[in-house]
Amino acid sequence: MQVLNLIRDFELKKMKEFEIIKEYLDRLLGIANKIRLLGFELSNSRIVEKILVTVPKRYEATITTLENTKDL
């Protein structure tokens, strides 16, 4: 049950407009680490996908550049 609650929390997280990337990453990785400690597999690619999808629009140009130059 605890894993399900953590997964739900992970899925519902979004970056706040005033928040910096480091704070957001720390929150997401904290949840991801708790999920992994409970024995559930959460891939790094899923975490990266979550970050790319949930950051505010002001990072859109940076994300596009990353997607075009790296094999994500």
Side-chain angles (χ1 to χ4, degrees), residues 6-21:
L6 286 168
I7 292 171
R8 182 177 47 93
D9 191 28
F10 178 84
E11 294 298 335
L12 293 176
K13 287 289 182 219
K14 291 191 178 198
M15 186 172 168
K16 299 172 182 140
E17 285 295 327
F18 61 86
E19 191 171 31
I20 60 173
I21 291 282

Side-chain angles (χ1 to χ4, degrees), residues 23-41:
E23 292 170 349
Y24 181 59
L25 291 178
D26 288 344
R27 283 193 307 134
L28 276 184
L29 291 177
I31 296 169
N33 288 335
K34 288 177 186 175
I35 292 170
R36 288 176 174 163
L37 283 173
L38 292 171
F40 188 81
E41 179 62 33

Side-chain angles (χ1 to χ4, degrees), residues 45-62:
S45 61
R46 176 64 190 113
I47 297 169
V48 171
E49 179 184 332
K50 173 71 175 174
I51 293 165
L52 293 176
V53 169
T54 59
V55 295
K57 292 265 187 210
R58 68 177 186 252
Y59 294 105
E60 191 170 321
T62 304

